[in-house]
Amino acid sequence: MNANNLDPAAQQQRKAYYDRIGKDSMTPLWEVLGALVPHQPKSPAVPHQWKYAAVRDSVMEAGRLISAEEAERRVLILENPALHGQSCITQSLYAGLQLIMPGEVAPAHRHTQSALRLVLDGEGAYTAVDGERTTMRRGDFIITPAWTWHDHGNLGNEPVVWLDGLDIPIVRFLDAGFAEKSDSAYQAVVRPEGDALARYGANMVPVDFYQQPAEPTKVFVYPWERTLASLRAIASGTPDTHFGHKQRYVNPATGRSPMPTMAAFSQLIPAGFETRPYRCTDGTVYVCLRGSAEASVAGQSFRLGENDVIVVPSWHSHQFRAGPETVLFSYSDRPVQQALGLWREQRN
Ligand code: GTQ
């Protein structure tokens, strides 16, 4: 419907009509149909990059401005520049850089939002999930599923920074957010470090264990050492034209994504390899863990070095050209889209 073809009187008449029905909280579909039911996704988010070297000083400055205790979580949100004020990196995903200084504790709490962590910088911190601690090492992928108690601490002597990925916008959209704080700053340790991984993450589970659908996954850390060893072993084979060598993290007890709202991936792109253009409906956050690559996102170019973050919005064609051997971590809302029958991809 092109209102511009109308004569002024008719335009006036429609406008008056819209104003009148507006008072009854109604609005005409035909003015917005194209935007409501688009031919293809038109994300309001834009591709963007955060160079770690450029933002690290600001992250450290937060460490001098506010304590972890006062902040509860001392995090700089990575906000999509086109979604200003919305605390999100895509319409459905949140990302942030969390800092914990030596001796600090980010107190125990739990919430219905699911969180993932990718450790980037520094040593000596831990995350505790439901009574078990895991020492955070660079490249470790750690999860705190919905409603699990978690606290973070730093027993070492250097600042530690990790990337937080949460489904905050999804839970906000559904108005399903609950949270509570624990009475004590940190959880009592009830299992030794490595217990969950040994019991549930070594291609075996306890004899009488069957994962209940509503229960959180038992494995909550995917150590970098194992990820890199897998990728390296696979990398002797032929790389996929669009991904290089790309693996999807799973709950080993089910083969499904570790958490119902977010998928996570690790991929190794061999030195000099260029992936073919690819797009998918799940807007994706990529982090370069090793090496460097040139990312091309819908015609925009980004030089990705270690710890740099880029966001690729839904249905934006992207490809990578690795300099040296490069490892990228990524996460997205793919499991949500797949559960709803919405997910699509296109390989060019
Ligand atoms: O570590 O629990 O970036 O609750 C945002 C909300 C981190 C956390 C965030 C959170 C957390």
Side-chain angles (χ1 to χ4, degrees):
M1 180 67 53
N2 188 351
N4 296 332
N5 297 337
L6 285 180
D7 65 66
Q11 266 185 44
Q12 192 63 34
Q13 194 183 15
R14 283 192 190 168
K15 170 79 168 60
Y17 169 71
Y18 297 165
D19 289 346
R20 248 184 299 128
I21 64 172
K23 296 197 176 77
D24 292 324
S25 303
M26 296 190 291
T27 190
L29 170 63
W30 57 89
E31 292 288 342
V32 292
L33 184 56
L36 290 185
V37 187
H39 289 292
Q40 56 176 39
K42 287 196 186 82
S43 178
V46 291
H48 192 73
Q49 178 178 42
W50 290 264
K51 299 281 301 170
Y52 187 69
V55 301
R56 188 179 187 276
D57 283 350
S58 300
V59 173
M60 294 303 159
E61 198 177 339
R64 298 187 290 273
L65 284 177
I66 189 166
S67 70
E69 187 123 28
E70 189 193 346
E72 191 166 344
R73 295 294 185 266
R74 190 203 287 113
V75 179
L76 297 189
I77 300 172
L78 304 184
E79 194 169 59
N80 193 291
L83 303 173
H84 184 67
Q86 298 180 43
S87 302
C88 50
I89 192 160
T90 68
Q91 294 249 84
S92 62
L93 296 173
Y94 162 105
L97 294 173
Q98 181 158 176
L99 168 69
I100 188 153
M101 301 299 286
E104 284 190 326
V105 170
H109 71 190
R110 62 176 178 174
H111 37 69
T112 49
Q113 292 81 3
S114 298
L116 62 83
R117 335 268 172 201
L118 184 74
V119 184
L120 296 181
D121 193 7
E123 278 178 15
Y126 66 84
T127 282
V129 181
D130 275 349
E132 183 179 331
R133 287 184 180 177
T134 189
T135 301
M136 301 173 99
R137 299 186 180 87
R138 187 169 179 279
D140 285 356
F141 165 54
I142 297 165
I143 60 172
T144 53
W147 210 240
T148 55
W149 291 105
H150 53 284
D151 54 87
H152 318 294
N154 187 343
L155 304 173
N157 47 27
E158 54 189 52
V160 174
V161 179
W162 62 83
L163 179 91
D164 280 327
L166 285 90
D167 57 5
I168 286 173
I170 297 175
V171 177
R172 177 170 62 192
F173 175 73
L174 297 170
D175 282 336
F178 291 89
E180 59 186 40
K181 295 182 191 188
S182 173
D183 292 335
S184 56
Y186 46 88
Q187 301 172 64
V189 172
V190 298
R191 286 184 305 279
E193 175 154 1
D195 188 84
L197 204 54
R199 284 180 202 274
Y200 303 94
N203 297 326
M204 296 181 285
V205 294
V207 61
D208 55 358
F209 174 76
Y210 294 91
Q211 176 88 50
Q212 300 306 307
E215 274 214 321
T217 177
K218 301 283 189 183
V219 171
F220 67 96
V221 55
Y222 299 78
W224 166 243
E225 201 179 69
R226 291 194 186 184
T227 300
L228 187 61
S230 302
L231 291 173
R232 283 258 164 83
I234 294 164
S236 59
T238 309
D240 178 274
T241 50
H242 291 78
F243 305 130
H245 305 279
K246 187 167 182 175
Q247 296 285 100
R248 176 166 61 87
Y249 289 99
V250 297
N251 172 356
T254 61
R256 298 166 70 94
S257 146
M259 299 182 291
T261 49
M262 292 184 287
F265 312 88
S266 247
Q267 75 195 93
L268 185 153
I269 307 175
F273 189 80
E274 184 173 31
T275 62
R276 299 274 310 143
Y278 174 83
R279 61 180 176 175
C280 49
T281 51
D282 49 328
T284 304
V285 179
Y286 286 92
V287 187
C288 179
L289 276 175
R290 181 167 286 224
S292 62
E294 188 174 325
S296 167
V297 185
Q300 248 179 287
S301 222
F302 301 98
R303 293 203 151 279
L304 267 179
E306 285 187 5
N307 289 359
D308 293 348
V309 178
I310 59 165
V311 57
V312 177
S314 166
W315 216 235
H316 280 53
S317 181
H318 56 289
Q319 62 188 130
F320 299 101
R321 193 175 66 234
E325 178 185 85
T326 294
V327 179
L328 304 178
F329 170 89
S330 56
Y331 71 98
S332 78
D333 63 12
R334 186 173 303 180
V336 177
Q337 298 203 22
Q338 288 179 327
L340 301 178
L342 294 172
W343 186 70
R344 290 196 196 189
E345 64 176 345
Q346 187 182 9
R347 299 175 193 230
N348 284 327

Short mmCIF file of all heavy atoms in Angstrom, two decimals, residues 72-77 94-98 106-107 109-111 113 115 117 144 150-152 162-166 168, ligand 1:
data_model
loop_
_atom_site.label_atom_id
_atom_site.label_comp_id
_atom_site.label_asym_id
_atom_site.label_seq_id
_atom_site.Cartn_x
_atom_site.Cartn_y
_atom_site.Cartn_z
N GLU A 72 28.13 -6.44 42.66
CA GLU A 72 27.60 -7.81 42.57
C GLU A 72 28.27 -8.55 41.42
O GLU A 72 28.84 -9.61 41.61
CB GLU A 72 26.07 -7.87 42.48
CG GLU A 72 25.55 -9.29 42.66
CD GLU A 72 24.04 -9.36 42.92
OE1 GLU A 72 23.41 -8.33 43.24
OE2 GLU A 72 23.49 -10.47 42.75
N ARG A 73 28.17 -7.99 40.22
CA ARG A 73 28.97 -8.49 39.11
C ARG A 73 29.58 -7.26 38.44
O ARG A 73 28.86 -6.38 37.97
CB ARG A 73 28.11 -9.24 38.09
CG ARG A 73 27.47 -10.52 38.63
CD ARG A 73 28.50 -11.57 38.97
NE ARG A 73 27.92 -12.86 39.39
CZ ARG A 73 27.71 -13.22 40.66
NH1 ARG A 73 27.98 -12.38 41.65
NH2 ARG A 73 27.22 -14.41 40.93
N ARG A 74 30.94 -7.24 38.39
CA ARG A 74 31.59 -6.07 37.78
C ARG A 74 31.83 -6.38 36.31
O ARG A 74 32.78 -7.07 35.94
CB ARG A 74 32.91 -5.77 38.49
CG ARG A 74 33.48 -4.42 38.04
CD ARG A 74 34.96 -4.34 38.26
NE ARG A 74 35.37 -4.19 39.63
CZ ARG A 74 36.06 -5.14 40.30
NH1 ARG A 74 36.34 -6.30 39.76
NH2 ARG A 74 36.46 -4.93 41.54
N VAL A 75 30.93 -5.88 35.50
CA VAL A 75 30.89 -6.27 34.08
C VAL A 75 30.69 -5.03 33.21
O VAL A 75 29.88 -4.16 33.55
CB VAL A 75 29.70 -7.23 33.82
CG1 VAL A 75 29.64 -7.62 32.34
CG2 VAL A 75 29.81 -8.49 34.70
N LEU A 76 31.45 -4.94 32.12
CA LEU A 76 31.13 -3.96 31.10
C LEU A 76 30.35 -4.68 30.01
O LEU A 76 30.85 -5.62 29.39
CB LEU A 76 32.40 -3.32 30.52
CG LEU A 76 33.27 -2.53 31.50
CD1 LEU A 76 34.37 -1.78 30.76
CD2 LEU A 76 32.44 -1.54 32.32
N ILE A 77 29.13 -4.24 29.82
CA ILE A 77 28.25 -4.87 28.82
C ILE A 77 28.74 -4.49 27.42
O ILE A 77 29.05 -3.32 27.17
CB ILE A 77 26.80 -4.39 29.02
CG1 ILE A 77 26.29 -4.78 30.42
CG2 ILE A 77 25.88 -4.95 27.94
CD1 ILE A 77 24.93 -4.16 30.75
N TYR A 94 22.96 -11.39 25.26
CA TYR A 94 23.73 -10.44 26.06
C TYR A 94 25.18 -10.88 26.04
O TYR A 94 25.47 -12.08 26.02
CB TYR A 94 23.16 -10.47 27.48
CG TYR A 94 24.05 -9.91 28.57
CD1 TYR A 94 23.78 -8.66 29.12
CD2 TYR A 94 25.13 -10.65 29.05
CE1 TYR A 94 24.59 -8.15 30.13
CE2 TYR A 94 25.94 -10.13 30.06
CZ TYR A 94 25.66 -8.89 30.59
OH TYR A 94 26.46 -8.39 31.58
N ALA A 95 26.08 -9.91 26.08
CA ALA A 95 27.51 -10.21 26.23
C ALA A 95 28.14 -9.17 27.14
O ALA A 95 27.69 -8.02 27.17
CB ALA A 95 28.22 -10.22 24.88
N GLY A 96 29.15 -9.56 27.90
CA GLY A 96 29.84 -8.60 28.75
C GLY A 96 31.23 -9.10 29.08
O GLY A 96 31.54 -10.29 28.90
N LEU A 97 32.08 -8.19 29.54
CA LEU A 97 33.41 -8.56 30.02
C LEU A 97 33.41 -8.39 31.53
O LEU A 97 33.18 -7.29 32.03
CB LEU A 97 34.48 -7.67 29.37
CG LEU A 97 34.66 -7.85 27.86
CD1 LEU A 97 35.62 -6.81 27.30
CD2 LEU A 97 35.14 -9.26 27.52
N GLN A 98 33.62 -9.50 32.24
CA GLN A 98 33.59 -9.48 33.70
C GLN A 98 35.02 -9.50 34.25
O GLN A 98 35.86 -10.26 33.78
CB GLN A 98 32.79 -10.66 34.25
CG GLN A 98 32.71 -10.66 35.76
CD GLN A 98 31.56 -11.45 36.39
OE1 GLN A 98 31.47 -11.56 37.60
NE2 GLN A 98 30.67 -11.98 35.57
N ALA A 106 32.69 -12.43 43.83
CA ALA A 106 31.41 -11.99 43.25
C ALA A 106 30.37 -12.91 43.89
O ALA A 106 30.35 -14.11 43.61
CB ALA A 106 31.43 -12.11 41.74
N PRO A 107 29.54 -12.36 44.78
CA PRO A 107 28.77 -13.20 45.71
C PRO A 107 27.77 -14.15 45.05
O PRO A 107 27.28 -13.90 43.94
CB PRO A 107 28.05 -12.17 46.59
CG PRO A 107 28.10 -10.88 45.85
CD PRO A 107 29.31 -10.92 44.97
N HIS A 109 24.69 -16.08 43.83
CA HIS A 109 23.28 -15.80 43.49
C HIS A 109 22.83 -16.81 42.44
O HIS A 109 23.62 -17.61 41.95
CB HIS A 109 23.09 -14.34 43.05
CG HIS A 109 23.66 -13.98 41.70
ND1 HIS A 109 23.77 -12.69 41.24
CD2 HIS A 109 24.16 -14.75 40.69
CE1 HIS A 109 24.28 -12.68 40.03
NE2 HIS A 109 24.53 -13.90 39.68
N ARG A 110 21.53 -16.78 42.18
CA ARG A 110 21.04 -17.61 41.08
C ARG A 110 19.89 -16.88 40.40
O ARG A 110 19.26 -16.00 40.98
CB ARG A 110 20.60 -18.99 41.55
CG ARG A 110 19.46 -18.99 42.54
CD ARG A 110 19.07 -20.42 42.86
NE ARG A 110 18.00 -20.48 43.84
CZ ARG A 110 17.39 -21.61 44.20
NH1 ARG A 110 17.74 -22.77 43.64
NH2 ARG A 110 16.43 -21.59 45.09
N HIS A 111 19.70 -17.22 39.13
CA HIS A 111 18.66 -16.55 38.35
C HIS A 111 18.19 -17.46 37.22
O HIS A 111 18.88 -18.46 36.89
CB HIS A 111 19.17 -15.21 37.79
CG HIS A 111 20.61 -15.21 37.36
ND1 HIS A 111 21.06 -15.89 36.27
CD2 HIS A 111 21.71 -14.63 37.92
CE1 HIS A 111 22.36 -15.71 36.14
NE2 HIS A 111 22.79 -14.96 37.13
N GLN A 113 18.04 -16.69 34.21
CA GLN A 113 18.85 -16.51 32.99
C GLN A 113 19.99 -17.52 33.00
O GLN A 113 20.59 -17.77 34.06
CB GLN A 113 19.44 -15.09 32.96
CG GLN A 113 18.42 -13.99 32.76
CD GLN A 113 17.70 -13.60 34.05
OE1 GLN A 113 17.99 -14.10 35.13
NE2 GLN A 113 16.73 -12.70 33.92
N ALA A 115 23.82 -18.61 31.82
CA ALA A 115 25.06 -17.87 31.52
C ALA A 115 26.14 -18.81 31.01
O ALA A 115 26.22 -19.97 31.42
CB ALA A 115 25.56 -17.13 32.76
N ARG A 117 30.53 -18.60 30.18
CA ARG A 117 31.75 -17.81 30.36
C ARG A 117 32.81 -18.34 29.42
O ARG A 117 32.92 -19.56 29.23
CB ARG A 117 32.32 -17.93 31.77
CG ARG A 117 31.34 -18.29 32.83
CD ARG A 117 30.74 -17.11 33.48
NE ARG A 117 29.66 -17.47 34.37
CZ ARG A 117 28.73 -16.61 34.75
NH1 ARG A 117 28.73 -15.37 34.28
NH2 ARG A 117 27.77 -16.98 35.56
N THR A 144 26.79 -21.70 33.61
CA THR A 144 25.94 -21.71 34.81
C THR A 144 24.50 -21.75 34.30
O THR A 144 23.89 -20.74 33.97
CB THR A 144 26.18 -20.48 35.71
OG1 THR A 144 26.08 -19.29 34.94
CG2 THR A 144 27.57 -20.51 36.29
N HIS A 150 25.68 -19.73 41.73
CA HIS A 150 27.05 -19.52 41.26
C HIS A 150 27.68 -18.31 41.92
O HIS A 150 27.00 -17.32 42.20
CB HIS A 150 27.11 -19.40 39.73
CG HIS A 150 26.17 -18.37 39.15
ND1 HIS A 150 24.82 -18.58 39.03
CD2 HIS A 150 26.40 -17.14 38.67
CE1 HIS A 150 24.25 -17.50 38.50
NE2 HIS A 150 25.18 -16.61 38.27
N ASP A 151 28.98 -18.43 42.19
CA ASP A 151 29.77 -17.30 42.65
C ASP A 151 31.14 -17.42 42.01
O ASP A 151 31.53 -18.48 41.52
CB ASP A 151 29.88 -17.29 44.19
CG ASP A 151 30.38 -18.62 44.76
OD1 ASP A 151 31.61 -18.79 44.85
OD2 ASP A 151 29.55 -19.48 45.10
N HIS A 152 31.82 -16.27 41.95
CA HIS A 152 33.15 -16.24 41.36
C HIS A 152 34.13 -15.69 42.39
O HIS A 152 33.77 -14.82 43.18
CB HIS A 152 33.20 -15.35 40.12
CG HIS A 152 32.01 -15.48 39.20
ND1 HIS A 152 31.73 -16.63 38.51
CD2 HIS A 152 31.03 -14.60 38.89
CE1 HIS A 152 30.62 -16.44 37.79
NE2 HIS A 152 30.17 -15.23 38.01
N TRP A 162 36.81 -12.46 31.92
CA TRP A 162 36.20 -13.42 31.01
C TRP A 162 35.02 -12.78 30.29
O TRP A 162 34.49 -11.75 30.72
CB TRP A 162 35.78 -14.69 31.75
CG TRP A 162 34.74 -14.52 32.81
CD1 TRP A 162 33.39 -14.45 32.64
CD2 TRP A 162 34.98 -14.40 34.22
NE1 TRP A 162 32.77 -14.31 33.85
CE2 TRP A 162 33.72 -14.27 34.84
CE3 TRP A 162 36.13 -14.38 35.02
CZ2 TRP A 162 33.57 -14.14 36.22
CZ3 TRP A 162 35.98 -14.24 36.38
CH2 TRP A 162 34.71 -14.12 36.98
N LEU A 163 34.61 -13.43 29.21
CA LEU A 163 33.43 -13.00 28.48
C LEU A 163 32.21 -13.70 29.05
O LEU A 163 32.23 -14.92 29.21
CB LEU A 163 33.55 -13.35 26.99
CG LEU A 163 32.33 -12.94 26.17
CD1 LEU A 163 32.51 -11.54 25.60
CD2 LEU A 163 32.05 -13.91 25.03
N ASP A 164 31.20 -12.95 29.40
CA ASP A 164 29.92 -13.51 29.82
C ASP A 164 28.96 -13.50 28.62
O ASP A 164 28.85 -12.49 27.94
CB ASP A 164 29.26 -12.61 30.89
CG ASP A 164 29.83 -12.82 32.28
OD1 ASP A 164 30.20 -13.96 32.60
OD2 ASP A 164 29.88 -11.84 33.04
N GLY A 165 28.27 -14.62 28.41
CA GLY A 165 27.19 -14.65 27.42
C GLY A 165 25.93 -15.10 28.14
O GLY A 165 25.95 -16.15 28.81
N LEU A 166 24.90 -14.31 28.09
CA LEU A 166 23.65 -14.69 28.77
C LEU A 166 22.46 -14.55 27.83
O LEU A 166 22.52 -13.83 26.83
CB LEU A 166 23.42 -13.85 30.03
CG LEU A 166 24.27 -14.18 31.27
CD1 LEU A 166 25.56 -13.39 31.28
CD2 LEU A 166 23.52 -13.96 32.57
N ILE A 168 19.77 -13.09 28.67
CA ILE A 168 18.98 -12.03 29.33
C ILE A 168 17.86 -11.48 28.44
O ILE A 168 16.72 -11.38 28.90
CB ILE A 168 19.92 -10.91 29.83
CG1 ILE A 168 20.68 -11.40 31.07
CG2 ILE A 168 19.16 -9.61 30.11
CD1 ILE A 168 21.77 -10.44 31.58
O1 GTQ B 1 28.13 -13.77 36.61
O2 GTQ B 1 26.16 -14.16 37.41
O3 GTQ B 1 27.43 -10.56 32.94
O4 GTQ B 1 24.24 -12.54 36.88
C1 GTQ B 1 25.36 -10.58 34.03
C2 GTQ B 1 24.55 -11.10 35.04
C3 GTQ B 1 27.14 -11.98 34.77
C4 GTQ B 1 26.91 -13.54 36.66
C5 GTQ B 1 26.64 -11.04 33.91
C6 GTQ B 1 25.03 -12.05 35.90
C7 GTQ B 1 26.34 -12.50 35.76
#
